[in-house]
Amino acid sequence: MNIPNPSVSVVLPVFNGAATLPTAVDSILAQSFTDFELILVDDGSTDCTLKIVKRYVAQDERVRGFTIPHSGVATAANAGLSKVRAPLIARMDADDYSMPERLAQQVTYMHGHPEIGILGTCVKFGGNRETAGGYARYVDWTNTLLTPEEIRLRRFQEAPFAHPSTMYRTKLVDRFGGYKTGNLPEDYELWLRWMSFGVKAAKLPTTLLVWNDPPDRLSRTGEQCTVDNFYKMKSPYLADWLHKNVSPTRRIYVIGAGKTSRQRALILEQYGIVITGWIDVDPNKIGNIVNGKRVVGREILEQETCFAIAYLAGHDANDQLEEFMHTKGYKLGKDYILAS
C-alpha cells in the first residue's frame, strides 16, 4: 500500500539503467527523511530495468512503478510528474547517488523559504577529472552559484544546476508546464522558462549528490544536448530578458567577433534584438565589417552608454572578462550579461 499523502515525490525516469539503478534507488530509500514516494518510470527499457522496478515496488510501499513505450527522458519525466501526489518534487537520475541527508535538508529549506521555487544542491563530480576536465570544470562552476541573484544573472551561461539534485514545487508544474520534448535540453529549458515568469531559484551549499559521468550520459550523447541546440533553446529566453532589462535607447554590442560567436549571437535578431556591432581585442579585426556590423575595440564601452552580451569560449575567458569589467565599474546584469 502506497503512502497516500507524501511530503515529497521523487521522480526517477530510467532507460536501460539496470547496471546503476539499484544504487540510485537504494540511496533514496536510505534517506533520513522518510515521508516520500519514489516514482520510477521505465522508459521502455530493453534490459532488465523493468524487472528491477517491479522488485522495488514489491519491497517498499513508498515505491510506485510505471512503464511507457520508449519515448525519451522528457516524456518519461513528464509521465512521472503526472503521478506525483506531493507538494514538492525531487528529481533523481538512474546513474547518480543522493546523500542520506539530501531530502531532509531540501525540505527544511523549502519550508523555510516559500519564495524559492527551485532548489538545487552542490554536487560531487563522479567522473575522471583528467579525461573529463571540461565537464568537471562545469560542475565546479555550478557549485559556485548559490544565491537567487547569482543564479538569475548567470543562468544564460550554462545550466545552473545538476538536474538530479533539484527539488521544486508541484504548483509550478501545474502553472507553467513540465518538460518540453524535442531536440533541446529539457531541464535547462524548464528552468529558463520558469525563471522567465519570475520563479526564484537557489542552491544549498552542501554537497548532497554524486553526479556521475559515465560515457553514455545523455548530456554527452543525446542529440538534444548538442551545443547548437543549447543556443537555439536559450536564445529566445535571453532575448526576452534583454527586452525587459535593457533600455531600447542603449546600443547592444556583442563581445566576441569570431565566427562561432557571431552565429550564436545573430539568433537573437530573430527575436527583435538589434545588434549594433562586435567587440574584439584583436587589432587585426577591429575596423572590419562583419555581417553588416563593425568590429570595434573595448573602448566603445567607455565612449557610448551601451550594453554588452559576452559570447566567449570557456569559463576562464568569462572570468577574465568579468575582472576587466569590474575594474571599469561595469556591473553584471546592468551593463553586460554572460551568454556562453
Side-chain angles (χ1 to χ4, degrees):
M1 180 178 179
N2 298 120
I3 300 173
N5 296 299
S7 296
V8 177
S9 294
V10 182
V11 175
L12 195 166
V14 54
F15 173 69
N16 284 356
T20 60
L21 181 61
T23 298
V25 171
D26 287 344
S27 76
I28 296 298
L29 298 182
Q31 293 290 300
S32 63
F33 180 88
T34 60
D35 184 18
F36 65 84
E37 64 176 355
L38 173 58
I39 300 173
L40 301 177
V41 181
D42 169 52
D43 184 24
S45 297
T46 56
D47 63 1
C48 63
T49 290
L50 182 56
K51 183 181 295 185
I52 295 172
V53 169
K54 291 179 178 179
R55 186 180 78 222
Y56 278 107
V57 170
Q59 290 176 352
D60 196 307
E61 64 177 5
R62 296 171 297 178
V63 181
R64 302 167 65 201
F66 304 91
T67 186
I68 63 172
H70 183 53
S71 306
V73 64
T75 298
N78 283 335
L81 295 182
S82 71
K83 304 295 184 180
V84 303
R85 298 180 295 191
L88 293 172
I89 297 169
R91 277 289 278 107
M92 183 63 182
D93 284 344
D95 46 12
D96 299 312
Y97 176 87
S98 287
M99 308 298 192
E101 294 298 315
R102 176 198 165 181
L103 294 184
Q105 292 194 29
Q106 288 187 295
V107 168
T108 297
Y109 185 96
M110 293 295 265
H111 285 171
H113 297 80
E115 77 282 6
I116 297 299
I118 310 167
L119 180 66
T121 78
C122 287
V123 301
K124 177 182 177 180
F125 178 62
N128 188 321
R129 284 184 172 269
E130 293 185 3
T131 59
Y135 210 99
R137 177 69 176 87
Y138 163 66
V139 172
D140 293 342
W141 173 78
T142 65
N143 285 338
T144 68
L145 306 183
L146 302 177
T147 69
E149 184 71 357
E150 289 169 335
I151 295 170
R152 183 182 72 84
L153 290 177
R154 298 178 184 278
R155 69 187 189 270
F156 297 114
Q157 284 181 259
E158 295 189 74
F161 297 107
H163 190 197
S165 79
T166 55
M167 176 178 284
Y168 45 80
R169 300 188 190 277
T170 303
K171 65 182 181 182
L172 298 179
V173 178
D174 298 334
R175 185 174 181 184
F176 302 122
Y179 299 100
K180 287 190 176 180
T181 59
N183 282 333
L184 52 85
E186 80 290 340
D187 52 346
Y188 194 11
E189 191 282 331
L190 178 126
W191 300 325
L192 290 179
R193 174 163 33 98
W194 286 4
M195 293 176 74
S196 73
F197 288 112
V199 175
K200 292 184 178 181
K203 186 177 296 167
L204 294 177
T206 310
T207 300
L208 295 170
L209 182 111
V210 178
W211 202 19
N212 287 315
D213 183 36
D216 58 349
R217 174 180 280 281
L218 191 61
S219 56
R220 287 185 175 279
T221 62
E223 173 65 22
Q224 67 269 39
C225 293
T226 64
V227 174
D228 286 344
N229 283 331
F230 263 77
Y231 281 95
K232 289 177 183 177
M233 180 280 296
K234 73 179 178 179
S235 290
Y237 294 109
L238 174 56
D240 178 67
W241 184 91
L242 292 167
H243 283 303
K244 292 176 179 176
N245 292 276
V246 180
S247 169
T249 62
R250 298 183 76 176
R251 294 176 182 269
I252 293 179
Y253 286 84
V254 170
I255 298 177
K259 181 179 179 180
T260 300
S261 296
R262 295 196 309 271
Q263 290 175 338
R264 293 169 178 172
L266 287 171
I267 300 174
L268 296 173
E269 295 194 325
Q270 300 175 22
Y271 303 97
I273 300 300
V274 177
I275 298 172
T276 299
W278 317 105
I279 296 176
D280 204 286
V281 296
D282 186 347
N284 295 319
K285 294 180 180 179
I286 295 174
N288 293 340
I289 302 297
V290 182
N291 294 109
K293 310 173 196 303
R294 186 175 297 278
V295 181
V296 298
R298 286 182 177 177
E299 62 273 7
I300 196 70
L301 296 170
E302 300 179 68
Q303 296 171 2
E304 294 188 15
T305 305
C306 60
F307 187 90
I309 311 171
Y311 282 84
L312 299 174
H315 290 284
D316 290 341
N318 279 304
D319 290 344
Q320 293 171 12
L321 174 67
E322 283 202 80
E323 183 177 352
F324 168 81
M325 299 297 253
H326 179 73
T327 62
K328 295 296 183 179
Y330 303 127
K331 295 183 178 180
L332 182 65
K334 179 182 177 182
D335 302 301
Y336 71 102
I337 197 75
L338 303 173
S340 65

